[in-house]
């Protein structure tokens, strides 16, 4: 007698906040509408640029090993979309994906979206577990990312990861 919903659409899981930011559509609501037999609306115009970073409880300096423990404090940044998987007091265990949050920035162009995302990551507070926030900020500053000229091998070229304190 119980109903469970398991998301199996990896495109929805990975890309939907970015798509929603540039289209203004709620893709989850649209999937449910289509499942109920409703028609899709006409495609809206694409506006601006959006980029997403996934904040994980992991240590890039230790080969991206997960970091487990209690989130003593979690403060979301302002000015960006945050889809959080934890809150202050949450326990990050080895039994599930250690994702803490998706941080999504949307702006008029790529450079402004990258800057907004970096600011959002800088303003994200996670205490109690190690995170990849510093690494994500280094990644955003990489000239290949800034230029949009990279592929799936980018991170391997940055190994081993060494922690460098943020400049702001």
């Amino acid at each position: 007698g119980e109903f469970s919903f398991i998301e199996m659409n990896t495109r929805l899981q990975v890309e939907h906040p970015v798509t929603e930011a540039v289209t203004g559509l709620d893709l989850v609501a649209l999937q449910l509408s289509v499942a109920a037999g409703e028609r899709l609306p006409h495609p809206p115009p694409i506006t601006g640029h959006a980029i997403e970073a996934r904040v994980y409880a992991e240590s890039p300096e230790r080969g991206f090993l997960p970091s487990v423990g209690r989130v003593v404090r979690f403060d979301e940044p302002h000015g960006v979309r945050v889809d959080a998987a934890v809150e202050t007091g949450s326990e990050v265990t080895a039994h599930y994906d250690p994702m803490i949050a998706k941080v999504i920035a949307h702006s008029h162009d790529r450079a402004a979206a990258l800057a907004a995302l970096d600011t959002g990551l800088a303003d994200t507070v996670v205490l109690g577990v190690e995170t990849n926030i510093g690494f994500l900020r280094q990644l955003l500053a990489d000239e290949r990312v800034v230029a949009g000229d990279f592929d799936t091998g980018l991170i391997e070229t940055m190994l081993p990861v060494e922690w460098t304190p943020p400049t702001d």
Side-chain angles (χ1 to χ4, degrees):
E2 284 189 35
F3 173 77
S4 298
F5 178 78
I6 299 176
E7 182 179 90
M8 296 300 291
N9 182 336
T10 56
R11 290 287 175 217
L12 179 64
Q13 178 188 11
V14 173
E15 299 171 352
H16 89 271
V18 169
T19 302
E20 289 180 351
V22 298
T23 65
L25 297 174
D26 182 333
L27 298 182
V28 174
L30 286 173
Q31 274 197 340
L32 295 172
S33 294
V34 168
E38 297 176 23
R39 297 182 61 105
L40 287 172
H42 290 290
I46 304 296
T47 58
H49 189 93
I51 187 167
E52 171 183 304
R54 290 176 169 229
V55 176
Y56 275 86
E58 66 183 9
S59 173
E61 298 81 11
R62 293 185 301 120
F64 297 93
L65 288 173
S67 175
V68 298
R70 182 170 306 281
V71 177
V72 177
R73 182 171 176 185
F74 176 64
D75 293 335
E76 295 183 8
H78 300 287
V80 291
R81 174 177 169 172
V82 178
D83 292 355
V86 302
E87 58 188 17
T88 297
S90 292
E91 191 75 27
V92 178
T93 72
H95 303 295
Y96 298 100
D97 185 341
M99 185 169 64
I100 291 172
K102 293 188 245 183
V103 180
I104 304 96
H106 176 241
S107 195
H108 62 280
D109 64 23
R110 180 179 174 78
L114 286 168
L117 182 57
D118 184 57
T119 298
L121 289 169
D123 293 344
T124 301
V125 176
V126 182
L127 301 177
V129 294
E130 294 178 82
T131 73
N132 64 341
I133 291 173
F135 174 74
L136 291 170
R137 296 190 68 209
Q138 287 177 330
L139 191 61
L140 290 174
D142 187 283
E143 63 187 28
R144 295 164 290 183
V145 172
V146 172
D149 185 24
F150 59 93
D151 58 36
T152 57
L154 173 66
I155 292 176
E156 288 178 358
T157 69
M158 299 174 74
L159 298 177
V161 174
E162 295 180 20
W163 186 81
T164 57
T167 57
D168 52 49

